Amino acid sequence: MLKYELKIALRKLLKSKLYTSINIIGLAIGLAACLVIATIVLNDLSYDKQWKNSTRLYKIIGIQSTNHGVVETPHVYSGLAPALKRSFPEVQSFCRMEVEPEKIKFDASKEAVSLHALLAENTIWNMLDFTIIQGDPKHVKEGIDNVVITRQLRDEYYRNDNPEGKIIYKIGQSDTTKYLITGVIEDIPENTHLRSQIIVLRDYLANKSSPFNKFSGGSSPALLPQYLLLSPHTNAALFEKKLNAWYKVQGTEIFSNPSYYLQPMRDVYLRSNYTDNGATQGNINTVYVFSLVAALILLAACINYVNLSTAKAIERMREAAVSRVVGAETGHIMSRFLLEAILFFMIAFVIAAGVYSISLRFVQQYLNNVLPVTLFNNLKLFGISLVTLLFVCVATGLYPAYLLTKIKPVYALKGVVSQKPGMGVLKKGLIVSQFAIALVVLIASITINLQTRFLKNADPGYDKNNLLQVGFVKWGEKGNDFKKELLRIPGVESATRTDWYPTQGTMRVEMKDPRNDNDVLSVSFLECDVDFPKTLKLHLKSGRFFDPGRPSDDSEDSARYTKVILSDTYADLFKETSQLGKPNPDFMHIPIGIIKDFHNESFLKRESPFIITAHKNMNYAAMLIRVTPGTNSRVIISLQKLWKQYYPATTLSFNWVDDLLTSEYRKESRLGNIFNIFTSLAIVLACLGLFGLVTFTLEKRMKEIGIRKVLGASVASISGLISKDFLKLLALGTLIAAPVAWYFLNKWLENYPYRINVYWWIFALSAILMAVITLATLSFKTIKAAMANPVKSLRSE
């Protein structure tokens, strides 16, 4: 019986090729998009859940209240975790670890390769269950930094050799460090925020008596990311309270006094309100947005199917009526049409799976990340997909099947069938919903792209063009001579050594906010040489810049008070606008100039007031070089030659500042590009549905069109008559989409301290674009129908 029903269903599908094609293409697009998005979402949700002790692993996060709200940081006093282990039985183990980009030479004669290294102490083996496949890396060899490599690196660089005991080299900006390979582990999972290719084991020399331990020989507390493994059955929330109560009595008056919370390791990737350099980070809001968009695209595809199936159902009323007359039961008729729906969805799913498998490679390249959880290697995802497919299929196919069983056979056999009172409203409601979905995604796409363009093009307060950045390096005694030779290169206008460059954070100090004694203000301190303002082309508001001819401007030559340049905001807040040239005993400085605020980080973070001091002998610093437009390539060649003369043992690392700033907004650009794809899919689905509905509508109204033509109606008037109904539905869809899009986009924009407004013209432009697309879709069929010979349509009359 089932075989017979399948044959009938296939015959029906093949008979109506246009109807079948539109339905299958629409469903395949919706399902393929959902599969790709579901893969991305499930991979994001799977981060750090693979560790055996994942539910007991926590990261210590410091929190500090400032004038801009609560600031969170993953870098806390490095002695804190060992002190907690000594003081509380709830702490089973701890590890101070962080991910850093490094350049490694696996052979002294070969080029260095860039990879990510997990810097950790030997307690990492108590925390994370890596699979050791070679060597004994748990036993640290003294006198040299130990390193553990992954299977991938072993297979690539030591295919026919044993890597254990080999020496590799870390190439730094100022020196070369030897690493000893002590073991090989299985590849570190891709779905961890600690994603890396090697593990560098180091001793952090924990102070045994204080949570504020220092680096060996250092004078200030070392700040490091730290993780705890809590004992089984420990209540993390209660332990967090005990931690903070204990911390308050540790004699912290010489330090700023933050509090701490324990962030589950499973939440680090998606739910972190801080930036951890080197670590892989995502965003839970992106997961929500992607999930919502996937649901909307699938909903649009299902609306297409329901609308087209409903239109087709009216044509098939005689078939259902004959079945009823010969004794078929309602359930049997419904099951026949549900079988057709299942067949539609299964064919579409097979096509969607093919599109998914092809697109997956491109998606991974675009995300620059291997997705370990896919439809073909994860039973959970495959099962969820099939269950969702079956549910959507039944829910979508039920209404058209139910509709056919409710038509009275006596009227159906005579061909006299009118739509039920609610049927027309439902069909129009579905069309309006589809328009609204397409408009919401289109409005979101335009807004996201405008916000990204705003971030990229916003004025940072300095000239970012033709500005070259050289990474941090130990300049030594040759630094000043190198700079003099550099300035002789044709095309080099100026250069400055600095402890800051765009996108690189500065040293910050928490100070009392002069507007509120109970609040804290974060102030940035920037150190550079005297050519810094000239190189960045900063805007002077009052006073003067540092003068190379005045030795006292250099902090190393100043007597009691340091000469400083203040930002506009700092000068206003601390009432120093009128104090130029006068010593300030509270801060031990003399302000000589006030400059217009500039963004010392990206526009993703709110700028802070800052102070600039000058140093002529900066040993460890970066360099910014102002280049004459049109000489970029020649300057780089000359710079490389000069570098080899002065620093042959170190690697020259450089970037153009505008490229650095652009890379800061990579996530926003990627989100905008993905939304452009989603917008295209939503519009394609809307057009497919419109095309199918117009086709069926015109087939039913051919006699009406023929009569109008005989009575003298023009092609334009007939085309406008038919298009008018759909444009009314588009207008209603716009009224629904506009407030929804406005609300959610304003919520999304609140994440940015510097943002655009959701302008009214974005909604108008979106509606106009959709109207043009709708008319273009409609005109293809309506003009053809209006130009048809009325004799053919009226022949039976």
Side-chain angles (χ1 to χ4, degrees):
M1 185 66 180
L2 180 60
K3 183 179 178 181
Y4 170 76
E5 294 291 349
L6 278 172
K7 282 184 177 181
I8 295 296
L10 280 171
R11 191 178 300 159
K12 293 292 182 184
L13 265 60
L14 293 172
K15 183 179 178 182
S16 304
K17 293 183 175 60
L18 178 63
Y19 165 74
T20 301
S21 300
I22 292 175
N23 261 329
I24 289 178
I25 291 172
L27 290 172
I29 289 173
L31 291 172
C34 281
L35 288 174
V36 170
I37 297 171
T39 301
I40 296 172
V41 167
L42 287 178
N43 274 279
D44 277 358
L45 294 175
S46 72
Y47 268 67
D48 290 307
K49 292 181 179 177
Q50 71 276 5
W51 309 116
K52 181 176 66 176
N53 296 319
S54 64
T55 56
R56 297 193 285 129
L57 289 169
Y58 293 85
K59 189 174 186 177
I60 305 175
I61 305 298
I63 51 178
Q64 178 76 62
S65 297
T66 72
N67 58 311
H68 294 311
V70 174
V71 174
E72 299 183 3
T73 176
H75 296 85
V76 297
Y77 299 128
S78 65
L80 182 59
L84 292 175
K85 175 69 172 68
R86 294 191 300 270
S87 304
F88 296 99
E90 290 93 335
V91 179
Q92 182 173 321
S93 187
F94 69 90
C95 186
R96 291 162 290 187
M97 54 185 169
E98 59 186 328
V99 177
E100 292 285 352
E102 290 191 352
K103 288 188 176 181
I104 299 293
K105 273 191 175 184
F106 288 91
D107 190 304
S109 62
K110 295 181 180 178
E111 289 293 320
V113 295
S114 297
L115 44 75
H116 282 83
L118 176 57
L119 313 180
E121 53 196 322
N122 208 39
T123 54
I124 190 173
W125 307 110
N126 303 329
M127 309 282 287
L128 306 178
D129 43 312
F130 296 113
T131 303
I132 300 171
I133 58 177
Q134 194 170 338
D136 187 15
K138 293 184 179 180
H139 290 86
V140 177
K141 307 296 189 298
E142 300 293 338
I144 188 172
D145 284 335
N146 291 198
V147 69
V148 184
I149 65 173
T150 57
R151 178 191 288 271
Q152 177 190 354
L153 293 178
R154 185 198 66 178
D155 294 345
E156 184 172 353
Y157 294 100
Y158 303 99
R159 186 172 299 174
N160 301 315
D161 200 359
N162 180 6
E164 191 177 356
K166 300 286 186 183
I167 298 293
I168 61 176
Y169 306 88
K170 171 195 171 185
I171 308 300
Q173 289 290 337
S174 55
D175 52 19
T176 300
T177 305
K178 290 183 179 180
Y179 287 158
L180 173 69
I181 299 178
T182 59
V184 181
I185 60 172
E186 283 290 357
D187 292 340
I188 296 174
E190 290 286 333
N191 54 341
T192 173
H193 76 285
L194 299 171
R195 188 189 305 157
S196 47
Q197 291 80 46
I198 63 173
I199 301 175
V200 179
L201 299 174
R202 52 171 50 177
D203 185 1
Y204 285 102
L205 303 174
N207 187 308
K208 299 299 182 184
S209 61
S210 169
F212 313 112
N213 80 282
K214 304 165 185 177
F215 282 126
S216 179
S219 59
S220 60
L223 302 174
L224 294 168
Q226 299 173 59
Y227 296 78
L228 300 177
L229 173 64
L230 299 185
S231 301
H233 311 300
T234 298
N235 186 312
L238 292 178
F239 175 68
E240 187 179 289
K241 292 179 180 178
K242 289 176 66 175
L243 184 164
N244 283 296
W246 165 85
Y247 184 80
K248 286 181 180 179
V249 297
Q250 294 303 304
T252 62
E253 61 275 1
I254 62 172
F255 303 100
S256 61
N257 191 14
S259 57
Y260 299 95
Y261 79 90
L262 300 181
Q263 182 184 27
M265 191 169 180
R266 291 178 164 201
D267 292 346
V268 171
Y269 176 71
L270 285 177
R271 294 179 170 86
S272 294
N273 298 319
Y274 54 82
T275 300
D276 193 356
N277 295 333
T280 305
Q281 286 185 278
N283 191 320
I284 189 62
N285 290 327
T286 303
V287 170
Y288 294 148
V289 170
F290 279 15
S291 301
L292 177 61
V293 170
L296 290 176
I297 288 177
L298 184 59
L299 179 60
C302 292
I303 287 172
N304 266 358
Y305 180 81
V306 171
N307 270 336
L308 295 177
S309 298
T310 303
K312 193 68 177 175
I314 305 302
E315 287 186 6
R316 298 181 62 181
M317 57 188 177
R318 283 195 177 91
E319 175 190 340
V322 169
S323 298
R324 294 280 298 278
V325 169
V326 297
E329 296 180 356
T330 300
H332 176 71
I333 297 173
M334 287 187 67
S335 65
R336 177 182 295 177
F337 288 101
L338 277 176
L339 183 61
E340 286 185 24
I342 292 172
L343 200 56
F344 267 120
F345 274 84
M346 291 307 297
I347 293 172
F349 182 73
V350 171
I351 296 172
V355 173
Y356 168 83
S357 63
I358 294 170
S359 62
L360 198 60
R361 179 166 59 90
F362 298 103
V363 170
Q364 291 180 130
Q365 288 177 350
Y366 183 71
L367 296 176
N368 194 28
N369 175 29
V370 175
L371 299 174
V373 179
T374 69
L375 181 69
F376 306 118
N377 69 6
N378 187 275
L379 189 61
K380 180 180 178 181
L381 178 57
F382 189 78
I384 291 173
S385 301
L386 287 182
V387 171
T388 304
L389 179 70
L390 183 61
F391 173 78
V392 172
C393 173
V394 173
T396 305
L398 202 58
Y399 177 72
Y402 172 79
L403 179 66
L404 281 170
T405 63
K406 291 303 176 183
I407 298 174
K408 293 184 178 181
V410 63
Y411 296 119
L413 291 171
K414 290 181 180 180
V416 182
V417 178
S418 60
Q419 292 185 353
K420 296 178 76 65
M423 200 173 100
V425 174
L426 176 63
K427 187 168 76 171
K428 290 178 180 178
L430 292 174
I431 297 171
V432 169
S433 300
Q434 198 168 42
F435 277 135
I437 290 169
L439 280 164
V440 166
V441 180
L442 179 58
I443 293 167
S445 180
I446 293 173
T447 305
I448 291 169
N449 281 283
L450 286 173
Q451 173 66 12
T452 304
R453 190 173 70 175
F454 166 77
L455 293 173
K456 289 180 178 179
N457 298 332
D459 180 13
Y462 55 85
D463 187 356
K464 64 181 179 179
N465 299 311
N466 303 297
L467 192 60
L468 188 65
Q469 169 263 343
V470 175
F472 281 88
V473 65
K474 285 184 179 178
W475 297 98
E477 296 179 355
K478 298 182 291 184
N480 290 329
D481 292 336
F482 175 84
K483 182 180 173 182
K484 289 178 183 177
E485 291 298 319
L486 176 67
L487 292 173
R488 291 192 178 101
I489 294 176
V492 175
E493 297 180 0
S494 63
T496 180
R497 281 183 288 177
T498 168
D499 70 348
W500 166 89
Y501 58 80
T503 72
Q504 170 74 25
T506 60
M507 182 184 75
R508 294 195 178 196
V509 174
E510 309 298 338
M511 302 174 66
K512 283 188 177 181
D513 191 333
R515 297 164 297 188
N516 184 354
D517 288 342
N518 296 322
D519 207 349
V520 175
L521 182 68
S522 180
V523 177
S524 295
F525 284 79
L526 194 154
E527 297 181 350
C528 56
D529 65 27
V530 293
D531 292 320
F532 181 82
K534 173 185 174 183
T535 304
L536 266 74
K537 296 186 178 180
L538 299 178
H539 304 288
L540 185 67
K541 295 195 70 175
S542 59
R544 63 178 178 85
F545 287 140
F546 297 120
D547 186 349
R550 299 190 188 188
S552 62
D553 280 3
D554 191 291
S555 62
E556 296 172 26
D557 293 335
S558 61
R560 183 181 177 190
Y561 291 94
T562 302
K563 301 286 181 66
V564 298
I565 294 175
L566 307 177
S567 71
D568 193 10
T569 300
Y570 182 94
D572 286 343
L573 283 172
F574 290 92
K575 313 300 183 187
E576 295 200 55
T577 305
S578 59
Q579 302 299 312
L580 290 180
K582 300 177 183 178
N584 186 327
D586 293 332
F587 300 121
M588 300 302 291
H589 67 225
I590 299 174
I592 62 172
I594 297 174
I595 60 172
K596 180 182 176 182
D597 291 334
F598 70 86
H599 285 265
N600 48 25
E601 294 188 68
S602 72
F603 280 86
L604 298 176
K605 299 176 183 176
R606 189 173 296 280
E607 67 179 21
S608 60
F610 57 86
I611 299 174
I612 303 176
T613 59
H615 301 265
K616 64 181 178 182
N617 295 312
M618 297 191 69
N619 182 34
Y620 185 72
M623 179 174 279
L624 294 171
I625 305 169
R626 172 68 58 189
V627 178
T628 303
T631 64
N632 295 3
S633 57
R634 284 177 295 178
V635 167
I636 288 176
I637 293 172
S638 299
L639 172 63
Q640 290 171 329
K641 289 180 180 178
L642 185 64
W643 189 269
K644 287 182 180 178
Q645 293 176 20
Y646 279 82
Y647 303 99
T650 59
T651 302
L652 172 63
S653 175
F654 63 88
N655 291 283
W656 292 103
V657 166
D658 53 356
D659 292 336
L660 288 174
L661 291 171
T662 299
S663 67
E664 282 288 290
Y665 311 120
R666 188 178 291 116
K667 285 184 179 180
E668 283 68 27
S669 297
R670 188 174 291 164
L671 182 63
N673 292 335
I674 291 173
F675 253 89
N676 292 340
I677 296 171
F678 291 157
T679 301
S680 301
L681 293 178
I683 291 174
V684 166
L685 288 172
C687 290
L688 278 174
L690 276 177
F691 186 82
L693 282 173
V694 170
T695 300
F696 290 124
T697 300
L698 291 174
E699 286 177 1
K700 290 191 294 182
R701 299 180 66 178
M702 285 305 293
K703 286 185 173 63
E704 176 193 343
I705 292 171
I707 293 171
R708 289 181 180 276
K709 283 203 71 176
V710 169
L711 294 176
S714 65
V715 172
S717 65
I718 294 173
S719 180
L721 179 69
I722 298 169
S723 301
K724 182 177 65 175
D725 294 335
F726 288 97
L727 289 177
K728 288 179 181 178
L729 298 178
L730 173 61
L732 184 56
T734 303
L735 292 176
I736 295 172
V740 173
W742 182 87
Y743 176 79
F744 284 107
L745 286 171
N746 273 290
K747 284 289 184 183
W748 175 73
L749 287 169
E750 286 177 1
N751 296 317
Y752 296 93
Y754 304 96
R755 53 184 177 266
I756 64 169
N757 294 318
V758 185
Y759 305 106
W760 66 267
W761 60 263
I762 296 176
F763 302 95
L765 177 62
S766 300
I768 292 170
L769 286 174
M770 276 303 300
V772 170
I773 294 169
T774 300
L775 287 172
T777 305
L778 295 172
S779 62
F780 179 78
K781 295 295 291 185
T782 55
I783 293 175
K784 183 179 178 181
M787 293 178 67
N789 189 345
V791 173
K792 294 181 179 179
S793 59
L794 297 176
R795 186 177 296 160
S796 63
E797 302 297 328

